[in-house]
């Protein structure tokens, strides 16, 4: 019987480059592979992706499988799943890591069910259990109110990893690795779904995930006009505007601005949380920020348990004065 | 159209974080006193998705919930919103499952129902935030699926789904039957009407045990788990907040700016 061996990273591509989460996965996967004394593999799937294989090697991969096919232009479960199932069936990695993205969230559980194993999604810590050699998978549960450590006692062990939970490794251009093309072998008829259209939503110049400063508002902002004041402050810092879920549900800001468990995960230098209570599901998306600043009229608000500095008060009074002073200090 | 919605009863996830407690010896959450059980919020969005299709195209909505100690006033909420039937997989054997054993039981129940066009789940349950059941059901039943839906419409044996992506959404077409997982971007679930509440009172849930859906007790619940929970613990809370004040809220705002400057935060 062949053995399950090695760690495989599903390498996601955004804007023609390795996604930030992929680099983080390669760093984490490298450590796990070293602990096991096994190889780190990466899998690139798409229409044209093999040009990125050397990049995956510089970040730690020993082997890169590339699967290119016209039918793999867009991510679709029916196209990517059989490819991953066949590849992992042949290569037999004992651990498969994906990002907790719209792709990983979709692909990881389906792959685990198809391979008759199990997955753990949204992990923030992964380690090899020294005795049993199983993967200890730590993930936030109950909306961030607790953390759970799971073991999957069947192989391959599938996990997705939360964005920014792992630090990205240094690039090492001296690293050597092998690139192995793998045929997709897809039947067009097997792809039951069809992507009709991709609709990007209006976003400001700076993506939330990349912003050094985020000004985030909640239900207490009250309307879309209120958010324009937040945008003014964000503009001074060349930052971005984020929001809690009620602000999205009320249509005050676009969906893509949501921060939290089911929104974006952000880790800016400065996260200014205004008129949001700091529910655990919101904090799940921003608690990695270097400095959280809170403005809230209720001293009992949970956000004050996580903030470094705060003002208890009505944001409509506090914020304009704060913004004016910031502007003044910045022009000094 | 025959629509199925899977809903899970959970501890109210919007309860204040301070009320949250864990029993470290049993690795279980201690239900906070005074905090009610609810339908997991995304499942209400899933019910709403099904209701919108029923409103537009007609059809029947069957709700399935798996668990123990299912409170009738909680699991009947989808009925009072407008769903037609309720099936409960309620048996000790179903308790403490993981994504694998729970998806298996739900899939077998759906198979028993037999006649379905669309199966709806929430994107993730608010207790374990696993996010796997919808995909698991699709895989077990061999169905296509679309996850993270914000809009679903269906005609002519197909569903058109708007699926959320990092920078917007994509429109995906999928043939029926299919599994769809729903996110909050779908929009607020409707409130139960008085008429709906009265109608729900009269509907008796159908209870199915493992034998009713043709599964061995060893395949469901805790016995059928593939994952082991080693530990459940609270996250560390480090920060201590420095509250900045002033004579007036405006002055507090100015002082906050000065403080952040002093701390070299901008
Ligand atoms: C499974 C699940 C996933 C979720 N995912 C997310 C997620 O990804 N992101 C997310 O954000 N939420 C998420 N939520 C929702 C989350 O639980 C909270 O309901 C939400 O974050 C609350 O938003 P809020 O703080 O804006 O509103 P509230 O909790 O209502 O807080 C409003 C705050 O504004 C303050 N306020 C009101 N008026 C003023 C004023 N004039 N001046 C100053 N302060 C004022 C109030 O004191 C209060 O603290 C999720 C929930 C569930 C169940
Ligand atoms: N015990 C259950 N009974 C009915 N439906 C469930 C159950 N557990 C999960 N689901 C459904 O599957 C979705 C995803 O759950 P999970 O994968 O556990 O996060 C939920 O939003 C429900 O729609």
């Amino acid at each position: 019987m062949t053995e399950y061996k090695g760690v495989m990273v599903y390498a996601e591509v955004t804007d023609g480059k390795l996604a930030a989460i992929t680099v983080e996965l390669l760093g984490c996967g490298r450590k796990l592979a070293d602990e096991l004394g096994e190889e780190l593999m990466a899998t690139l799937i798409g229409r044209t992706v093999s040009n990125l294989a050397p990049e995956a090697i510089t970040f730690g991969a020993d082997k890169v499988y590339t699967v290119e096919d016209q039918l793999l232009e867009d991510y679709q479960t029916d196209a990517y799943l059989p490819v991953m199932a066949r590849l992992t069936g042949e290569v037999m990695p004992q651990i498969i890591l994906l990002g907790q993205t719209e792709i990983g969230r979709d692909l990881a559980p389906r792959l685990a069910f198809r391979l008759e194993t199990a997955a753990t999604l949204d992990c923030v810590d992964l380690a090899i259990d020294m005795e049993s050699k199983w993967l200890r998978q730590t993930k936030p549960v109950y909306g961030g109110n607790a953390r759970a450590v799971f073991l999957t006692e069947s192989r391959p062990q599938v996990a997705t990893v939360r964005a920014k939970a792992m630090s990205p490794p240094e690039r090492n251009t001296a690293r050597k690795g092998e690139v192995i093309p793998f045929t997709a072998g897809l039947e067009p008829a097997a792809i039951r779904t069809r992507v009709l259209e991709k609709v990007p939503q209006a976003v400001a110049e700076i993506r939330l995930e990349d912003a050094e400063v985020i000004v985030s508002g909640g239900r207490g902002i009250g309307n879309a006009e209120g958010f324009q004041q937040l945008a003014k402050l964000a503009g001074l810092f060349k930052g971005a505007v984020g929001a809690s879920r009620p602000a999205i549900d009320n249509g005050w800001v676009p969906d893509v601005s949501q921060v939290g468990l089911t929104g974006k995960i952000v880790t800016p230098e400065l996260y200014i949380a205004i008129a949001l209570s700091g529910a655990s599901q919101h904090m799940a998306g921003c608690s990695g920020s270097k400095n959280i600043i809170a403005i809230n009229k209720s001293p009992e608000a949970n956000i004050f348990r996580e903030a470094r500095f705060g003002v208890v008060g009505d944001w409509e009074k506090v914020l304009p004065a704060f913004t004016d002073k910031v502007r003044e200090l910045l022009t000094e | 159209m025959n629509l199925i919605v899977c809903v899970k009863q959970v501890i109210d996830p919007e309860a204040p974080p301070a009320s949250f407690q864990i029993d470290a010896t049993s690795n279980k959450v201690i239900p906070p006193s005074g905090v009610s059980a609810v339908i997991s919020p995304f499942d209400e969005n899933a019910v709403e998705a099904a209701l919108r299709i029923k409103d537009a195209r007609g059809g029947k909505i069957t709700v399935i919930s798996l668990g123990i100690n299912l409170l009738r006033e909680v699991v009947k909420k989808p009925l009072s919103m407008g769903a037609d039937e309720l099936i409960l997989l309620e048996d000790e054997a179903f308790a403490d499952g993981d994504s694998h054993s729970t998806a298996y039981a739900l899939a077998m129940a759906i198979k028993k129902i037999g006649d379905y066009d669309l199966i709806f789940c929430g994107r993730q349950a608010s207790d374990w935030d696993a996010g796997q059941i919808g995909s698991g059901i699709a895989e077990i039943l061999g169905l296509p699926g679309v996850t993270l839906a914000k809009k679903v419409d269906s005609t002519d044996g197909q569903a058109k789904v708007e699926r959320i992506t990092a920078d917007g959404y994509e429109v995906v077409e999928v043939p029926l039957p299919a599994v769809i997982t729903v996110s909050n971007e779908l929009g607020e679930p409707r409130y139960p009407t008085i008429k709906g509440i009265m109608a729900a009172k009269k509907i008796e849930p159908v209870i199915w045990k493992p034998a009713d859906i043709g599964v061995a007790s060893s395949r469901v619940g805790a016995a059928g788990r593939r994952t082991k929970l080693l530990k459940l613990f609270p996250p560390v809370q480090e920060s201590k907040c420095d509250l900045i004040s002033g004579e007036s809220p405006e002055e507090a705002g100015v002082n906050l700016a000065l403080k952040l400057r002093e701390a070299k935060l901008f």
Side-chain angles (χ1 to χ4, degrees):
Chain A
M1 202 191 93
T2 17
E3 263 185 279
Y4 286 99
K5 245 185 146 135
V7 178
M8 183 181 277
V9 164
Y10 169 75
E12 220 171 289
V13 180
T14 41
D15 304 331
K17 288 190 294 207
L18 285 187
I21 180 69
T22 300
V23 177
E24 292 158 22
L25 287 174
L26 288 168
C28 156
R30 183 72 261 164
K31 281 187 207 137
L32 297 173
D34 288 344
E35 267 180 65
L36 291 165
E38 296 175 3
E39 282 181 332
L40 176 66
M41 300 164 273
T43 302
L44 277 158
I45 302 179
R47 191 185 170 118
T48 39
V49 285
S50 50
N51 55 314
L52 295 173
E55 184 84 347
I57 293 167
T58 64
F59 285 118
D62 300 309
K63 280 185 184 152
V64 183
Y65 293 91
T66 57
V67 195
E68 300 186 294
D69 195 303
Q70 278 195 30
L71 295 171
L72 297 167
E73 166 104 51
D74 294 307
Y75 172 79
Q76 292 194 75
T77 322
D78 277 0
Y80 280 51
L81 174 61
V83 170
M84 274 301 276
R86 209 161 51 80
L87 176 65
T88 52
E90 276 182 32
V91 176
M92 297 180 76
Q94 63 159 316
I95 294 172
I96 304 173
L97 304 179
L98 304 91
Q100 175 75 349
T101 60
E102 75 253 22
I103 294 178
R105 284 179 154 120
D106 189 85
L107 186 54
R110 286 227 45 158
L111 182 63
F113 273 93
R114 185 155 296 188
L115 299 176
E116 306 211 338
T117 177
T120 305
L121 270 61
D122 204 18
C123 296
V124 292
D125 191 32
L126 294 171
I128 305 293
D129 187 87
M130 277 333 225
E131 269 171 44
S132 67
K133 300 288 177 204
W134 291 113
L135 182 66
R136 291 173 68 97
Q137 308 158 345
T138 305
K139 71 163 282 177
V141 293
Y142 284 86
N145 279 315
R147 286 189 170 198
V149 184
F150 289 106
L151 282 192
T152 301
E153 290 181 319
S154 58
R155 291 190 167 94
Q157 306 156 84
V158 182
T160 70
V161 175
R162 182 176 284 195
K164 297 175 175 153
M166 312 283 175
S167 41
E170 294 287 323
R171 184 193 296 275
N172 178 355
T173 46
R175 280 192 51 86
K176 295 270 176 298
E178 196 183 341
V179 182
I180 307 164
F182 187 85
T183 48
L186 279 172
E187 288 290 331
I191 305 171
R192 294 164 290 187
T193 52
R194 214 151 56 91
V195 178
L196 302 177
E197 190 184 358
K198 284 179 184 275
V199 188
Q201 282 187 312
V203 268
E205 286 135 52
I206 303 152
R207 289 169 69 221
L208 212 46
E209 301 93 309
D210 303 332
E212 288 294 326
V213 178
I214 293 174
V215 183
S216 210
R219 196 195 310 268
I221 300 298
N223 51 42
E225 291 71 50
F227 269 90
Q228 285 168 11
Q229 293 196 47
L230 272 61
K232 241 184 250 166
L233 177 61
L236 291 180
F237 291 124
K238 301 193 172 49
V241 173
S244 69
R245 201 170 91 181
I248 309 294
D249 287 345
N250 283 308
W252 302 335
V253 283
D255 297 349
V256 290
S257 316
Q258 182 176 322
V259 172
L261 182 66
T262 54
K264 300 280 179 340
I265 307 288
V266 299
T267 54
E269 284 296 319
L270 202 55
Y271 188 83
I272 306 179
I274 307 175
L276 62 82
S277 62
S280 56
Q281 294 90 350
H282 183 79
M283 299 318 294
C286 64
S287 60
S289 305
K290 305 286 178 312
N291 298 285
I292 296 176
I293 316 298
I295 300 175
N296 195 301
K297 70 176 182 192
S298 163
E300 306 301 322
N302 189 61
I303 188 72
F304 289 119
R305 304 209 304 171
E306 310 234 9
R308 179 166 168 208
F309 297 110
V311 170
V312 177
D314 183 348
W315 75 269
E316 293 193 58
K317 302 209 170 79
V318 179
L319 186 66
F322 174 70
T323 306
D324 286 345
K325 193 68 190 174
V326 167
R327 188 182 294 113
E328 184 192 316
L329 291 169
L330 281 171
T331 49
E332 257 175 22
Chain B
M1 292 279 274
N2 286 313
L3 310 163
I4 294 178
V5 189
C6 298
V7 306
K8 185 177 193 184
Q9 175 180 304
V10 295
I11 296 173
D12 186 353
E14 309 257 0
S19 70
F20 193 84
Q21 280 192 342
I22 295 165
D23 176 22
T25 46
S26 67
N27 277 335
K28 282 196 170 145
V29 174
I30 305 171
S33 60
V35 171
S36 51
V38 296
I39 298 282
S40 184
F42 296 121
D43 304 3
E44 288 198 9
N45 296 118
V47 173
E48 177 62 32
L51 286 167
R52 286 183 194 172
I53 291 178
K54 183 182 160 180
D55 290 345
R57 320 261 170 224
K60 188 176 97 179
I61 301 176
T62 306
V63 174
I64 311 183
S65 191
L66 174 151
I68 49 169
N69 306 323
L70 297 174
L71 301 172
R72 295 303 186 258
E73 71 269 24
V74 173
V75 291
K76 276 192 168 185
K77 183 166 179 193
L79 296 175
S80 58
M81 291 164 73
D84 303 280
E85 281 178 18
L86 176 63
I87 296 171
L88 302 179
L89 304 183
E90 199 179 30
D91 191 271
E92 283 298 329
F94 291 124
D96 289 325
D98 65 356
S99 298
H100 175 257
S101 60
T102 303
Y104 178 70
L106 288 168
M108 290 303 121
I110 292 167
K111 208 171 181 175
K112 174 163 171 160
I113 296 170
D115 199 6
Y116 50 80
D117 299 298
L118 279 169
I119 300 164
F120 291 96
C121 285
R123 61 178 287 174
Q124 66 199 68
S126 66
D127 47 6
W128 294 98
D129 290 312
Q132 302 198 34
I133 297 290
S135 301
I137 291 172
E139 205 46 41
I140 294 166
L141 297 177
L143 299 176
V146 183
T147 51
L148 306 177
K150 62 174 265 181
K151 190 168 175 199
V152 189
D153 196 9
S154 178
T155 43
D156 306 328
Q158 294 206 320
K160 208 179 191 186
V161 185
E162 290 181 9
R163 176 178 193 263
I164 294 159
T165 60
D167 59 4
Y169 64 93
E170 58 190 15
V171 187
V172 184
E173 200 171 65
V174 59
L176 307 186
V179 180
I180 315 271
T181 78
V182 179
S183 189
N184 58 288
E185 287 86 345
L186 185 106
E188 294 284 326
R190 68 194 62 185
Y191 287 104
T193 58
I194 302 284
K195 204 171 132 222
I197 295 168
M198 299 305 288
K201 279 213 172 95
K202 296 200 197 96
I203 302 172
E204 269 309 304
V206 175
I207 316 265
W208 284 349
K209 305 280 171 191
D212 297 318
I213 54 171
V215 302
S217 295
S218 59
R219 291 267 336 245
V220 298
R225 289 185 77 106
R226 281 196 181 141
T227 46
K228 194 151 102 185
L229 175 64
L230 296 184
K231 205 168 136 196
L232 187 66
F233 60 100
V236 274
Q237 197 101 43
E238 308 133 20
S239 173
K240 220 176 101 238
C241 188
D242 188 352
L243 287 180
I244 313 297
S245 52
E247 291 291 320
S248 63
E250 289 81 1
E251 194 185 303
V254 170
N255 290 344
L256 178 65
L258 290 168
K259 189 76 187 183
L260 298 191
R261 189 64 166 187
E262 185 192 312
K264 299 199 167 56
L265 296 188
F266 71 89

